[in-house]
Amino acid sequence: MDRNTIIGLVLIAGIFLTWSIFFNRNEEPDPNKKKAPQTQVDSIGVDTVKVDSQAMAEYTAPTDNGLPNGMTDSLWQTLSDSERTVLMAQEDDRKYGYFGELRKGENKIVRVETDELIAEIQTKGGYMRSLYLKNDSTYGGEPLPIIAPSDSNYLALRFAQLQDVQFPLVNTADLYFSADADEVNLSGGDEKSVTFRAQIDDQRFFEYVYTFRGAGYDYGFEIRHNGLTGIARGQDIRLNWGTVIPKTEKAMALMREKTAIYYRKSGDVDNLQPRGEEVQEEFITSGVDWFAFKSQFFSHTLMTADEATTMGDMNLAQANPVPPDPEDVNSGEIVKIMVADVALNFGYEESGSAKYTFFAGPCDYDVLNDYERDMIYQIELGYGPLKLVNRYLVIPMFNFLEGFISSYGIIILLLAFFIKMILYPLTYRTYRSTAKMRIINQTPEVKALEEKYKDDSTKLQQEKMGIYRKMGVSMLGGCWPMLLQYPFLIALFFFFPNSIELRGESFLWADDLSTYDSILELGFEIPFYGDHVSLFTLLMTVSIFAFTLINQRAQGTMTTNPVMKYFPYFMPVIFLGFLNNYSAGLSWYYLISNLISISQTVLTKRFIDEDALLTQMREKSKKRAASGKKSRMERWMDQQQKKQKQVQASRAGSNGSSNGSARGGRRGGGGSSQSPRRSGGKKKRR
């Protein structure tokens, strides 16, 4: 197996490894993962609160006529209005305990507008009915929702009452709060709190306090309670938060792949897998100081008041909805459904509070970095060294160019140029090593070997390796520099589809560099390709094909190497099928990067004097032979050959000893049977 075969196999293995790890990360269920405990009330589900509300509604009227339990129509008609009011109140007490009156009221909307946010908070439940980013829009130009109006959105407290009532579960999403404001408008350094109170009596109540600032994407959220000691059972009061993630981007499938729940536990950021099972759950006992319902480019994050404070045990869940058209994964307007169930650790004091901060804004590196706590890792920057490449090289370079250039297509072009210049020393080493191999393969010595061993490819490769070592050429000399460039190639694969800076930015024929460009809608689906034609991806594919052919010609193995023979056709097809639905900015970067690589290869070839290089290798070979010194590779090969000879000698000795014993045994056996006669014969002769 020659050097080019090794490089081909390594690259193909790298592509399949990358495909399996990064493009299809479906994790197997962990048998050791802790499951959410079953509580007295209910087990966490994707639609827990909604189910509880429906269950309560079914029992609003215990009798068919809607009257209190045991009351007939005729008897009800004989009662006065005051008597009826008392009986209905008693009926509510029997069913809902302390919270019967709070289940009645009028749902009003409190509108809050800041420089960045527009929120509508409803008095029923005291939670946000909708939340929009004021200065962003969806792909279709509509106001961009962090929370879109939906019956599946809620933020509620859940606990069980002490007294024996028909429905002991308290779900504050069903209670009516009072608000101390009707409309709030803020800007700049303004700040105002809006309080929503669910009051049982003068001493017992719940409060949600929202604190908004004129500037910024965050708002405060405080939960207060008073007088719970005589109401709540001896169990946690839990915060339930659920929302649907609406479609805001052009490519539903890509957006769904980038949408997941993120959280930080004990200083490490993790997430539920966006490409995992239809429904995923994660039970966490402690140590979380923030978690986020994150879409491709935007996040709604709940943080504790400070980094040292953590939340109680929680269960996080996300689910992919069934699309209206099961045959079309891009159909529908809901990307994912997300739910969190968190213990508040209130304790059972007479009064208490829990303070949090909500972030509702873009997944912009600089914006998230201002909040510290590793919030930036909600942006998918890759894994291991890929994350470091993006954080400390790509993003600073991108931000620097962004300060001078308004066109993001030009920024990507310059970014590709600068990165290729940084990596050029590795590219040069790869090309120089390739040139050495090609030159050696054209020498009379190698030509003679090819003629001598034309019927024995294994022996031919062994003899060639001997010449390579003598000439000071390593088979892997050009492979390692090539592999060292591989993390940069993969790092940019993560950067561009997650870079919010490209969102909505047009360049040439692409109207949005964050998603795919389409010059032709096919009207039908091609498996592994899609229903449209991306021109950037087509051009990028042609550039890969051209670059691979140029490299093969430079190596001189166009027809002799069976692996590399089909490699130019295999790799472009993989990229064409996969990147057709990905970011146009990514395909544009790969296109420019490949064109620069082709230019570097052509120019480098002109500056390398192959005759001088061959003379230099021959002189080094002579000096090495005269000095008797061997390279590290030669010493290693000698050691391997000695070990191989020792093993062969050992096996030969073992086989010889075994055969000798067998032959000796046969002789000994025959002699033994004949020895009495021989001995007797000898005695007779004497």
Side-chain angles (χ1 to χ4, degrees), residues 365 369 374 376-377 381 386-396:
Y365 184 91
N369 199 37
D374 296 322
I376 57 172
Y377 290 125
L381 299 178
L386 306 180
K387 185 184 297 183
L388 301 178
V389 169
N390 276 324
R391 183 171 183 180
Y392 296 109
L393 176 64
V394 176
I395 292 177

Side-chain angles (χ1 to χ4, degrees), residues 470-662:
K470 290 178 182 179
M471 302 286 277
V473 177
S474 171
M475 289 182 61
L476 300 179
C479 187
W480 290 118
M482 186 181 297
L483 292 179
L484 289 175
Q485 300 180 56
Y486 202 58
F488 294 87
L489 181 73
I490 303 300
L492 272 301
F493 170 82
F494 285 98
F495 174 74
F496 285 111
N498 297 292
S499 176
I500 195 172
E501 289 83 359
L502 301 182
R503 187 176 184 273
E505 297 293 334
S506 61
F507 180 68
L508 298 178
W509 55 85
D511 56 3
D512 188 344
L513 287 172
S514 70
T515 187
Y516 61 84
D517 62 297
S518 177
I519 60 168
L520 178 64
E521 296 294 330
L522 299 177
F524 55 89
E525 183 86 11
I526 298 178
F528 186 67
Y529 181 72
D531 59 359
H532 63 274
V533 177
S534 168
L535 183 55
F536 273 131
T537 306
L538 277 178
L539 294 175
M540 182 270 303
T541 302
V542 173
S543 71
I544 294 177
F545 183 78
F547 182 51
T548 308
L549 290 180
I550 290 173
N551 275 342
Q552 287 197 338
R553 289 194 179 99
Q555 295 166 6
T557 57
M558 280 299 297
T559 57
T560 61
N561 192 309
V563 174
M564 300 299 286
K565 181 178 180 180
Y566 297 103
F567 191 67
Y569 308 99
F570 173 78
M571 187 174 178
V573 169
I574 291 293
F575 278 93
L576 175 65
F578 186 78
L579 294 183
N580 190 61
N581 295 288
Y582 250 63
S583 163
L586 179 64
S587 296
W588 169 237
Y589 173 85
Y590 284 163
L591 169 61
I592 295 300
S593 181
N594 290 331
L595 293 177
I596 295 174
S597 296
I598 292 173
S599 301
Q600 288 178 339
T601 301
V602 173
L603 292 174
T604 302
K605 182 178 180 180
R606 292 186 177 182
F607 286 102
I608 291 181
D609 188 338
E610 296 187 356
D611 293 333
L613 190 59
L614 177 59
T615 301
Q616 182 183 5
M617 288 189 292
R618 289 191 184 280
E619 289 177 354
K620 286 185 178 181
S621 177
K622 291 177 181 179
K623 290 180 180 180
R624 186 180 293 109
S627 64
K629 292 183 179 180
K630 295 183 178 181
S631 66
R632 185 183 304 174
M633 177 63 74
E634 288 178 311
R635 292 194 298 271
W636 182 81
M637 291 294 294
D638 289 343
Q639 291 175 0
Q640 297 303 312
Q641 289 176 356
K642 288 179 180 179
K643 290 180 180 179
Q644 188 175 7
K645 289 180 180 179
Q646 290 174 358
V647 171
Q648 291 175 348
S650 176
R651 290 177 178 174
S654 176
N655 291 337
S657 175
S658 176
N659 293 337
S661 298

Side-chain angles (χ1 to χ4, degrees), residues 120-377:
E120 290 185 340
I121 311 172
Q122 61 183 40
T123 56
K124 183 179 181 181
Y127 59 86
M128 285 193 180
R129 176 179 178 271
S130 66
L131 178 61
Y132 290 87
L133 294 187
K134 190 174 180 179
N135 302 312
D136 292 275
S137 59
T138 66
Y139 177 79
E142 301 294 328
L144 193 140
I146 296 294
I147 301 175
S150 170
D151 292 338
S152 295
N153 294 329
Y154 54 83
L155 183 71
L157 301 182
R158 295 173 70 225
F159 60 93
Q161 299 183 69
L162 274 172
Q163 68 184 66
D164 185 17
V165 292
Q166 186 172 350
F167 299 107
L169 173 65
V170 176
N171 175 8
T172 60
D174 297 315
L175 307 182
Y176 286 86
F177 290 64
S178 62
D180 63 359
D182 296 323
E183 185 171 351
V184 177
N185 292 280
L186 304 171
S187 64
D190 297 342
E191 181 175 310
K192 182 175 178 58
S193 295
V194 182
T195 301
F196 290 76
R197 173 177 286 196
Q199 185 160 338
I200 300 171
D201 53 40
D202 291 341
Q203 301 299 321
R204 293 175 291 189
F205 58 84
F206 292 99
E207 285 183 343
Y208 296 159
V209 182
Y210 296 88
T211 302
F212 295 92
R213 296 183 294 113
Y217 292 100
D218 60 280
Y219 59 94
F221 179 65
E222 182 179 1
I223 304 170
R224 299 173 182 169
H225 75 86
N226 193 73
L228 280 188
T229 303
I231 296 177
R233 290 182 182 175
Q235 62 177 30
D236 286 333
I237 296 175
R238 305 190 70 85
L239 176 67
N240 280 176
W241 179 25
T243 189
V244 296
I245 304 297
K247 180 183 177 182
T248 58
E249 313 304 321
K250 179 179 180 180
M252 169 70 89
L254 179 59
M255 185 179 178
R256 185 165 288 150
E257 287 183 2
K258 304 296 181 182
T259 299
I261 297 178
Y262 282 69
Y263 59 90
R264 190 174 87 145
K265 177 184 177 184
S266 304
D268 294 325
V269 178
D270 203 349
N271 62 280
L272 276 63
Q273 296 303 326
R275 306 178 188 92
E277 302 169 353
E278 290 300 310
V279 178
Q280 293 185 66
E281 290 190 59
E282 183 78 20
F283 179 64
I284 307 171
T285 55
S286 62
V288 173
D289 66 319
W290 63 256
F291 67 91
F293 294 165
K294 183 221 171 247
S295 66
Q296 184 176 2
F297 293 116
F298 300 94
S299 170
H300 202 182
T301 304
L302 179 63
M303 299 178 282
T304 55
D306 55 74
E307 192 170 358
T309 305
T310 58
M311 304 179 191
D313 68 80
M314 65 175 62
N315 201 33
L316 305 174
Q318 66 183 32
N320 294 327
V322 178
D325 181 2
E327 301 297 325
D328 182 7
V329 295
N330 291 308
S331 64
E333 296 298 322
I334 298 177
V335 180
K336 271 189 173 68
I337 303 169
M338 295 180 173
V339 167
D341 175 67
V342 185
L344 291 180
N345 295 333
F346 264 147
Y348 302 100
E349 298 84 3
E350 185 64 24
S351 62
S353 68
K355 294 183 178 180
Y356 301 94
T357 297
F358 275 103
F359 168 82
C363 290
D364 181 280
Y365 184 91
D366 293 331
V367 172
L368 293 178
N369 199 37
D370 289 341
Y371 290 89
E372 301 179 340
R373 301 208 215 179
D374 296 322
M375 288 272 285
I376 57 172
Y377 290 125

